[in-house]
């Protein structure tokens, strides 16, 4: 469930950083508060899951069940290295092409989304591919929008909506992980 903490933090950052005009001040504030509450929910479920794991030995399973210790193994490392190169290289290319600064958040959403899609088979957890595909689509939408008069809305589409997607996905997965800990199969055989 540590990956959910990371996803929740990044989701909240997407919302906090990109909730600005053209959104109204009140709506931006509501979005930031909602992101903070969602992140607090992810943290609370993580704390609960860790407490249960320590007291019962029922590990929180959130997906298809990558083997213990392999979640952050070689496959993960390869994906993250490629992701980092794509992020920084892509932003440099966008800058060299004199694309609007708003394009950066769209590129970040696209790369992060593709990273989740790539991790699905590695982690044997296809559920992370859904928010990954949504983030990638929001990134592509933002890149297209950056070439139009709607460029000011790119941070909302590719940033805020990506953050909401990450937070919603993390909350759902954390809830599934807690439920798996409570299930008879996870606690009755230990």
């Amino acid at each position: 469930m540590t990956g959910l903490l990371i996803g929740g933090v990044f989701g909240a950052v997407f919302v906090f950083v990109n909730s600005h005009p053209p959104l109204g001040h009140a709506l931006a504030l509501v979005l930031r508060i909602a992101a903070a509450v969602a992140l607090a929910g992810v943290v609370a479920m993580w704390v609960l899951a860790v407490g249960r794991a320590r007291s019962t030995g029922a590990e929180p399973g959130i997906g298809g069940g990558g083997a213990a210790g392999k979640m952050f193994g070689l496959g993960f490392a390869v994906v993250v290295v490629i992701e980092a190169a794509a992020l920084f290289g892509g932003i440099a290319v966008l800058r060299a092409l004199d694309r609007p600064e708003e394009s950066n958040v769209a590129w970040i959403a696209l790369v992060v989304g593709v990273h989740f899609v790539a991790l699905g088979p590695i982690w044997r957890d296809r559920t992370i591919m859904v928010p990954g595909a949504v983030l990638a689509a929001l990134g592509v939408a933002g890149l297209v929008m950056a070439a139009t008069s709607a460029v000011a809305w790119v941070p909302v589409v590719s940033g805020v909506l990506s953050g909401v997607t990450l937070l919603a996905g993390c909350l759902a997965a954390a809830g599934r992980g807690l439920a798996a800990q409570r299930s008879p199969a996870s606690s009755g055989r230990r």
Side-chain angles (χ1 to χ4, degrees), residues 12-29:
V13 168
F14 262 119
V15 174
F16 296 154
V17 170
N18 294 292
S19 293
H20 53 70
L23 291 176
H25 178 71
L27 179 57
L29 180 62

Side-chain angles (χ1 to χ4, degrees), residues 56-138:
T56 68
E59 292 296 323
I62 60 168
K70 297 204 180 190
M71 185 167 196
F72 298 109
L74 180 61
F76 173 81
V78 168
V79 169
V80 169
V81 167
I82 292 170
E83 176 186 26
L87 282 172
F88 295 110
I91 289 173
V93 168
L94 290 170
R95 190 176 306 122
L97 294 173
D98 203 28
R99 301 305 305 146
E101 187 175 322
E102 293 85 354
S103 299
N104 293 347
V105 71
W107 179 251
I108 292 167
L110 173 61
V111 172
V112 171
V114 169
H115 131 272
F116 283 123
V117 172
L119 286 175
I122 292 168
W123 285 348
R124 290 181 278 168
D125 180 6
R126 304 243 183 251
T127 63
I128 68 168
M129 296 171 77
V130 173
V134 172
L135 261 68
L138 291 169

Side-chain angles (χ1 to χ4, degrees), residues 14 51 56 150 156 163 165 182 188:
F14 262 119
T56 68
V156 175
T165 299
R182 285 186 290 234

